[in-house]
Amino acid sequence: MDATGDEFTKYRSPLVSRYASKEMAYNFSDRKKFTTWRKLWIYLAKAEQDLGLPITNAQVAEMESHVDSIDFAMAAEEEKKLRHDVMAHVHTFAHCCPSAAPIIHLGATSCYVGDNTDLIMLRDGFDILLPKLARVIDRLANFAEKYADLPTLGFTHYQPAQLTTVGKRACLWLQDLTMDMRNLQRAHDDIRFRGVKGTTGTQASFLQLFQGDHDKVEELDKKVTEMAGFKKAYLVTGQTYSRKVDIDSLNVLASMGATVHKICTDIRLLANLKEIEEPFEKEQIGSSAMPYKRNPMRAERCCSLARHLMALVFDPLQTSAVQWLERTLDDSANRRISLPESFLTADIILSTLQNITEGLVVYPKVIERHIRHELPFMATENLIMAMVKAGGNRQVTRFLAEEVRPLLEPYKNKMDLKIELEL
């Protein structure tokens, strides 16, 4: 579409238009959502047929042949009339499957397609994120190993402290990321299918279809669950699956956001010291007014988006808290925003962090300069220990060491000048 087209006359979320990967954008797209609805109606029809309901092979085949041929314009018109998105798509599907129309959505409630599709999207979203997180861990592990023996100033309270190494500091980041890997994998593995539960979770409509045969209803639930690629379904639901599932999913993403924010903040601080720098492209412009600047824009982007990711977890917390009895619809509009945005944002920051960790630049001579600048003062701790070993009182020798500190000032400047000449 050209620059005068409708695409540029309305708001577009930068999460999709500017940042997110194609696979994550597709995962939460209308195309995937509504083709999944149609697949779920086919799974239901097949399972009901297997268990004895009068559904023909021709009806199932007709539905299968129209999974992807969605008339989105017709669905939109139907929704305007019906004020119901699921029934709008039932009618749209029935329009292209006239022989199957009587058995589409048979016995089901809206949450059969809505909630089950959301669970599929959450599961598939984690499937996209987990390899990306693994790649970041791999790149950072390589960096940590490469610089395991390079001494650098440690900082506490952002004041110079004892020495650490560049690789050891990276291991702090790595440990948090591996905890996030564990948390994401656990959240992924804990997701179950809502299954075939009826309007209030009692399966009453399906019991009626199967004339009170509980075994067939349980088998129906099992069959559809397996067709959808899940090993288990939730044993108990209301009309919806518990919204605590959304909390569990978004909480681990928010926690990962905190990790990324910390890592990228550290990189930004080190970039200011000119010790470490994120990749900077040959033709990249750091500042429109100050061409010498090398701004850590990737790390800044990660921090910016991580704040958004951390904030999104409050949506499912509040939604879960205010669900009345078997369900209320005040969850719907919120979840349309908070669930996709969380995964899209997590996707973006992992891709950006991978780019950073693959190209981190270290400046050993600058690091050495900073060490030499502080080395005389770091010696005071060794002085304290030596005096205690010689029989002194640690609480007294600490004050003696502080008195020594001014005597070291002249040496600091000479050492600093020496390094400047070396550089």
Side-chain angles (χ1 to χ4, degrees), residues 7 43 101 159 213 218 250 270 273 347-348 407-408:
E7 180 183 357
Y43 301 155
Q159 300 298 315
D213 191 328
E218 287 186 13
L250 269 60
L270 294 168
L273 298 174
D347 178 70
I348 296 158
L407 301 177
L408 300 173

Side-chain angles (χ1 to χ4, degrees), residues 117-284:
T117 295
D118 287 342
L119 290 164
I120 290 169
M121 287 178 167
L122 294 180
R123 178 197 65 189
D124 294 352
F126 280 121
D127 282 336
I128 294 169
L129 293 178
L130 283 163
K132 294 191 174 188
L133 178 54
R135 283 194 290 273
V136 171
I137 291 171
D138 174 72
R139 306 309 190 262
L140 197 53
N142 293 337
F143 176 84
E145 187 174 15
K146 181 177 180 180
Y147 293 102
D149 298 324
L150 180 61
T152 188
L153 277 178
F155 285 89
T156 59
H157 312 274
Y158 201 46
Q159 300 298 315
Q162 281 189 337
L163 292 178
T164 183
T165 74
V166 172
K168 163 63 169 58
R169 177 178 283 144
C171 287
L172 295 175
W173 306 336
L174 271 170
Q175 179 170 253
D176 287 353
L177 288 169
T178 56
M179 293 169 70
D180 292 319
M181 175 65 84
R182 175 202 65 193
N183 293 341
L184 264 67
Q185 188 65 60
R186 183 182 296 163
H188 170 277
D189 294 346
D190 283 349
I191 292 174
R192 298 187 179 191
F193 200 53
R194 176 193 174 272
V196 180
K197 297 294 194 293
T199 56
T200 59
T202 64
Q203 299 178 311
S205 58
F206 296 103
L207 281 168
Q208 185 175 358
L209 279 174
F210 289 100
Q211 299 178 333
D213 191 328
H214 288 263
D215 290 339
K216 282 191 174 181
V217 173
E218 287 186 13
E219 186 64 20
L220 177 73
D221 200 358
K222 182 181 177 183
K223 281 178 175 290
V224 175
T225 296
E226 290 175 352
M227 288 183 200
F230 288 83
K231 294 179 180 179
K232 294 181 179 179
Y234 293 108
L235 295 175
V236 179
T237 73
Q239 188 171 96
T240 69
Y241 67 80
S242 171
R243 295 307 182 219
K244 286 186 73 66
V245 175
D246 296 344
I247 296 174
D248 289 347
S249 297
L250 269 60
N251 189 57
V252 298
L253 298 183
S255 179
M256 186 180 72
T259 298
V260 174
H261 199 293
K262 185 265 192 295
I263 293 170
C264 290
T265 300
D266 286 354
I267 292 171
R268 291 164 66 190
L269 292 169
L270 294 168
N272 174 258
L273 298 174
K274 296 180 172 56
E275 292 189 356
I276 289 181
E277 186 176 70
E278 69 176 37
F280 200 88
E281 306 299 333
K282 184 178 180 181
E283 297 184 7
Q284 182 175 330

